[in-house]
Amino acid sequence: MSEIEDKIREIAKKLLEEGKVKYFIGYAKGSDAFCAKPIIIDDPKDVDKLIWSPCCVNNLAVYLVDEIKKKPRRGEEPDLRPVGIIAKACDERGITVLLQENILPRERAYIIGIPCSGMAEPQKLEKLAGEKGISHKAIYDMHIREEENEFSFEAEGVKEALPRDEVLADKCKECFQHNPKECDIVIGESVENPQIEKYVTIKELEDMSLEDREKFWEKIFERCIRCNACKEVCPLCYCEECTVEKAKPMRWCSKSVDKSNNAFYHLMRAMHLVGRCIDCGECERVCPMGIPLRKLYKKLEKEAEELYGYEAGSSSEDVPLFAAFTNDDPDEFE
Amino acid sequence: MKSGQEKVGAVLVVGGGIAGMQSSLDLAESGFKVYLLERSPCIGGVMAQLDKTFPTNDCAMCIMAPKLVATGRHPNIELITNSEIEKLEGEPGSFEVTLAKHPRRVSSEKCTGCGICAQECPVEAINEFNEGLLPRSAVHIDYPQAVPLTFIIDKTVCIGCGICEKMCKANAIEYDQAEEQQKIDVGSIILALGFDEFNPEIKKEYGYGIYPNVVSSIEFERLLSAIGPTGGMVLRPSDYDIPKKIAFIQCVGSRDEQCDKSYCSAVSCMYSIKEAIIAKEHTEGLDCHIFYMDIRTFGKEFEDYYNRAQEEYKIGFTRSRPASLREDPETKNVIISYVENGEPKEEEFDMVVLSVGIDAPKDAITLSERLGIDLNKHNFVSTKKFSPLSTSREGIFVCGAFSSPKDIPDTVAQASGAASKASSIISSERGKLVAKREIIPEKDVRLEGARIGVFVCHCGINIGGVVRVPEVVEYARTLPNVAYAEHNLYTCSQDTQERIKEKVKEHDLNRVIVASCTPRTHEPLFQSTTSEAGLNPYLFEMANIRDQCSWVHMHEPDSATEKAKDLVRMAVAKARLLEPLKKATLDVKRNALVIGGGISGMTAALGFADQGYKAYLIEKTSELGGKVRHLHYAVTEENPQDELFALIKKIENNENIEVFKDAELLSIEGYVGNYKTKISYENLEKEIDHGVVVVATGALEYEPTEYSYGEDRRLVTQLELEKLLAEEKINPKNVVMIQCVGSRGESVSYCSRICCTTAIKNALQIKDQHTDAKIYILYRDIRTYGFMEDYYQKAAEEGVVFVRYDVDSKPKVEITEGNLKVSVKEPNIDEELRLDPDLVVLSVAAIPDPNNEELSKSLKVPLSKDGFFLEAHMKLRPVDFATEGVFLCGSAHSPKFIDESISQAEAVVSRACTILSKDYLEAEGVISIVNSDICSGCETCILVCPFDAIDKDDKKKAKVNELLCKGCGACVAACRAGAIQQRCFTDEQILSVIRSAFQEVEV
Amino acid sequence: MLPTFEPKILAFLCNWCSYAGADLAGVSRFQYPPNVRIVRVMCSGRISPRFVLKSFQEGADGVLIAGCHPGDCHYSKGNYYTRRRLTVLGKLLEHVGLDPRRFKVKWISASEGGKFADVVKEITEDVKKLGPQNSLKRVDENE
């Protein structure tokens, strides 16, 4: 891990010193060891703040959208240099969709790809640490390492190693593309893609009866408080104005928080993400109400693959799922 | 008779089938007045009887209905139905035609087409439209979508009971209408009479008319049709049972000297395959079998269709012409006796379909005498190879099946082509007789609140007999923004139109709603009334409370009334949000760029010049003429070289045509009406401004790799043979011609269409020069469609030997000790046939130009899977591209003969003139617009648009080219951000309609 | 006796084929249940998933969409996009527990008046059996 961390800092430093990038988006230590936070660095002196750990779970691609949307101040010449960005395979797929949809001009990003075999879910780690009775202060200073099949951490003399399967983020358990493709530079060895069963997340739901599924989602949608965190964190929700929520010229979805409007909101969002969601899982991670959004989007990912052989973010050259068709597309409509 | 020499800017089109409609629409859109004469009570012709069309299986009515409606309501087209030509006087440019108008006995002004009369009529008569398979009443229309939608009383069966007169609230029944005469002045005439079906009763051995389960192909077509007598169920006539096994017998009344029909119908192979496929799709487990002599699937993508029929649909094909049919009297099954591989066989079927041939129209002879035009020996109009659209009389033109049997796309191309020929002789009169558009000042309503007027129609008793109309009106008055509401006996009647205008003024209305029949037929009428009332026509909305309410809930007056209220409420919800629409306009650069200087390109260029528009003709080689330069013989008596050089001379002497040789297209920018193109020619560069583009780049000859071609100079292609013959350099004694070299599954999957006739043409030429030469033609199917069949017969009579081979055992060509040896296995004969020719001629495929790809990209038009250019619609838009302003003709479309290329080239001129003749181009009103504040520039809309109408502006936001947008709204549904909206169907309007559908009263 | 449940069904039809087919059902006097309200659009390609979701939210017990058969589109390819988009929407609705019998997409040509009537009968009968649709229906009345 630290080897990669060193390399990140080295590259960031060089890019910033040479002025090749406008700034650099990476990870820094968060409020505790189980939480890496995004950081933007524009001074080569600050590169030591950059870290790489099994907790770098966030998708940084969303910050590229912010950069693109930034309007230069009046009279100011826009700085069109690329932005350096760290990208795991899932982040890279998100960037690829942005490229595919012409939101991000390729030359505006300098992509540092890092092959990744999975990140730890902060909550899971924290819970385990709590069980071991480790203090909050210790947590902050703790180091976490990835080894073979374990995540290990050390603090206050306690050394613990946890099996990957127990702490791995859910989305990573289902990840079958570990290596970023669309990169300017790659750090670290490429990792073998695992042979895993896809779409485990939704299996249980798919096996349920229609009525049970209806009840399941009704309860889920009732929970939503419409804080919009899912939308804000999503790198692909880049619309200037969210059509689902805007009021003018008409309001498709009321701001009222109730199961019907919430359902409308989430189903519309899901339809907008078909063939685009790259399963970075950020929406689910940031949801304060624990809404299992991946169970919604994962179903659509599965349908896109099974019906049309389409995989979101696999190439920026692909024609988007809903802008393409073949004469022989599956047809259930008679 | 007219005295002066003044030309008349009007054309008479005779025949209202698909050809007549196409000619009329082209002419009407190019500034000419059209009289469309039809013998029967309504237009539509045979295509209206078809269920599906090959090879795309498009629904015939779906694709034709828009043309029917457009023809019916075009201000420059006058429909004269149920009428015939009586006399013709005058001369080209100024004819006077006397027409006999037979009584309809229903007033076309008053009849609303509601159909109450037919429902109540007690008479049951033979329904010709459904081929007698279902009765009709004495007062009737042929089919529900008929244009004009005016009923007619069949005097021969009417019993005069008077019920219809009593029932008709519009007072449209006029029993005592008499024969009328009408005289019209026209500059030219187009004959588009189509064809008649061969009457299979003549073929006694097939028992048609005796055995109930032997039907004709057109009867079978009606059985397949969803609006046919069985609603699309395939049922056999004897017991209305579902058949399990159906046979199709080809060439009934075609290729048959016995019944004086020596020619090929050109379409029956394809339509039988189509009928077999559709029948199988309609009937589970159905077995279909086709008995044929040669399968003639020669058109664009026809061979694929044939292959699919065999592989995918498992349709059986037996090469045999059955000798006779007989019936099992008990089961009414039909037993076919036939000979296969020399052995007599019998097979039993539940039902047999006779694929009937194409006859000249019944009135061909009378008409030709009245008009003074020549017919050929088959009673079709006689035409020439280099002037396929001209009759023997100047000023009278012909198109479609009336000049030779042909399919729909060839017919449509000829129809456009004939329109171009007919208008070119009166091009000086363009615009003189057409309806002038009145400009009515429009009231600005944008800042006013909506004040809606609702007019609810009783439609006689059609609506009012079910829906409680006054109650609907009362309800409408309670709806927000409704300022006025009333009911009318017929809202579409002339006096109601005046009333609507009065009420708009009286109540200061700014939106109009009519609740009556369907917008598909009546919206244009009410829109123009709205416009005459001083309101923008898009401030009109319709509620369909007849076709989709009273007629389908006839026994539920309460529910129907509630539904009618809902529909009115939904219309009000939308009307409140309607906005006045302005159509964008744009000037047109009135000249054409023609790419390709072959026969097609030259014909097109000359056509433009004759219409008074400048043409830029660019040719990549240093000489005009294209492939025809290498043709020395035509199968007819014309000499291609003489014709070609006469044409080149005309081109070079025409000051409206600028020719660029050794030319290359460097770049092309712009869109319909306004292109800017850079070309290089003879080391120079030039920029050309033009309004339309024509692709006429032709096709290439396949260079064979098979049959040792290239190893011996006695192995030649047909083109090479033609050169040798013309130079009289050879004296062949023993010739073998091999067909399908490269075609039909080798290098290319399609049939190259022209090679069978070309081989026969050259065989006859050899025979002509060297009577004693022995000629063998090795073939898979001989595809001499239409009248070319006569030359096949002639070749056989002159001793040309035709030997069939199977695709699995192709002929072998060897060169042993300097001698050519050909061996071939005739499938019916055990032994191999060995030949020692001194000349082997390969009939090679015609292949697409590899440069097509680049050209298709710069013009943004698609290629077919075979690499030819792909037209907008295979059936009805054969020379248009989906991208407006770009056209296609000749072999760049698919391989074709000279006359077919010429027809298409003329068609292009006609289609392009609908653009070039306009003072300005006008966009559709219902188009998409982008709100660039919201657009993220993701380009999904650009990818989705079927018309390439969306581009990006310099701020990287989507921008709709209003002239190219056809208003489908696909981009709107594709846009996640809601940044693109379709006028008249905005999200806001539809959302409002959705809400109002479920709300009792809107707030 | 309680009044029988009369479902409300909203149909979106393309102008060129299916709306013409619905008209033809009328011309042919094919009778079908009066539960459907038709919204005309120019092409089925115009039908956004939000129309469907909104219809259910506003209280539709069933939604019917019909367009030209693949290959017959007046605009050449609009219905191919419809096919993809609405196939996926159907899967999503089923995934969240909406009975697929409430959401039907059909290809209906201008000559298939009988088919239109049959489709309306089928969806009306199905939805009648299923009862009112409540899972997506809105609860607030003061929007």
Side-chain angles (χ1 to χ4, degrees), chain B residues 58 518 520 551 554 566, chain C residues 23 31-32 37 46 72:
Chain B
D58 269 332
T518 170
R520 288 177 43 260
W551 275 352
M554 295 175 79
D566 285 359
Chain C
D23 280 347
Q31 302 297 297
Y32 56 77
R37 304 290 176 265
R46 168 68 184 92
D72 285 4

Side-chain angles (χ1 to χ4, degrees), chain B residues 930-985:
Chain B
V930 179
N931 177 349
S932 35
D933 290 345
I934 311 177
C935 174
S936 307
C938 74
E939 296 187 15
T940 309
C941 53
I942 297 179
L943 294 168
V944 165
C945 178
F947 307 100
D948 273 320
I950 312 179
D951 234 322
K952 267 190 167 177
D953 65 12
D954 46 12
K955 293 205 174 90
K956 302 252 158 92
K957 307 279 186 172
K959 189 173 183 291
V960 176
N961 183 326
E962 299 189 7
L963 283 161
L964 296 181
C965 176
K966 294 274 158 268
C968 66
C971 53
V972 189
C975 179
R976 291 179 294 274
I980 196 159
Q981 287 297 334
Q982 183 187 16
R983 287 171 170 173
C984 262
F985 295 90

Side-chain angles (χ1 to χ4, degrees), chain A residues 252 260-261 295 329 331, chain C residues 54 57 84 94-95 107 136:
Chain A
W252 278 104
S260 166
N261 280 311
K295 288 194 196 315
D329 277 349
D331 193 335
Chain C
K54 198 67 197 171
Q57 196 186 23
R84 276 202 173 186
E94 208 179 328
H95 185 63
W107 307 130
L136 297 172

Side-chain angles (χ1 to χ4, degrees), chain B residues 687-707:
Chain B
E687 204 170 84
I688 299 173
D689 287 345
H690 53 104
V692 295
V693 191
V694 179
V695 177
T697 49
L700 301 178
E701 193 184 32
Y702 167 69
E703 195 174 318
T705 51
E706 46 273 79
Y707 300 119

